[in-house]
Amino acid sequence: MKKSVAAMTVAAVIVAAGGVVYVSGAYDSWRDGRALDGACKGLVSAAEARKTLGMDRVSGKAIGRPSCRVYDPGDTNTELAIMVRRGEDAAESIRTHPAVILTTDREQALVPVGNGWPALVSSGTTTEPYATAYLPCGKNANDDLVLSMSVANANASADPQERRNGMAVMVTRALKQAAKDQGCALPGAKKVTAAPSVSVFGNLKKAGAATGTCQGVNSASYEAQPDPAAPVEQCFLAASNGEPTFRIASYYGPYTNAPRRNPFRSPDDYVGTSGTNEGKSWTTASCPTGTALYTLEPVDSRATAGAGERRALLSFAARSAERHGCGTPVQAISK
């Protein structure tokens, strides 16, 4: 009997090579899934992460509840950090990503996810895509919820639009779960299956021809679709030859911390309700989510802001403020 049991044990262990791979692969998948579920608590789908980021395997590690790190324990070295922050920590979360939030490169700028979601994804072809989302939650700004998704070592050969689509799907899934976990109300948003087209900020509009975020601007420009739910909206002014000259942007809720607390700015930038300093101009408006900030910044160091550019800022600010249910922006911009 003992010999029979031993023989059966040996037979169970000594299996075909393909069987060993199959059993090992199934175990790895089970172990990775357990780790991901335990760390991220529904913030991310393994299937979506694999498809969007080109991961062979998807595992997870908690980095302070409810945030987590999603990584490939295989060979790609791809990582996705999902950070969920509230109150003062929400502002800090925005301050840690100024390069993508404040970029003057229209090919990398953030664009709204759309469909009523207060979320943004990076529009460029970088291998470090980024997404962020925001929910007012609680009685005041100290209860704001901000979610960010930053990627390192994404598949460089992936189709940019497909990856942008995947990031849009993942950030809305994560925000929905974070809202449930933190007891925050979601807006009446529709399901997202794709992000804005790669042509966002890609088509030059003639002066006066813009119909999106640059509408009303008397300059050649590059624009995105206006979005009343987006916490950041942008418009790029351009010279007649298509070269970008200035970036105009609106910031709502805690996103005003991105330009105001950028370590590379002058301490005199964005002080008070409006002003101009070192080529930058700004104005503000009172909104349900707090005081919004509208900025005009040079893209080309040789560009000089004049009365025309400041009028463009005020026109942009007025339309964006109206979309977001805000009061009239301050109209006087001191020099």
Side-chain angles (χ1 to χ4, degrees), residues 114-156:
N115 280 3
W117 289 93
L120 306 154
V121 294
S122 55
S123 63
T125 58
T126 175
T127 58
E128 297 186 355
Y130 174 79
T132 184
Y134 154 66
L135 281 178
C137 182
K139 296 182 179 180
N140 52 54
N142 291 331
D143 296 313
D144 287 340
L145 181 151
V146 170
L147 182 146
S148 65
M149 303 180 72
S150 54
V151 180
N153 303 315
N155 181 4

Side-chain angles (χ1 to χ4, degrees), residues 14-61:
I14 303 175
V15 294
V20 172
V21 172
Y22 173 80
V23 172
S24 174
Y27 174 73
D28 287 343
S29 179
W30 173 81
R31 182 179 59 185
D32 294 345
R34 292 258 301 184
L36 183 68
D37 291 342
C40 296
K41 306 294 184 182
L43 290 173
V44 67
S45 156
E48 289 169 2
R50 277 194 293 266
K51 179 181 178 181
T52 301
L53 304 175
M55 293 176 164
D56 295 328
R57 292 167 55 189
V58 181
S59 187
K61 183 177 181 180

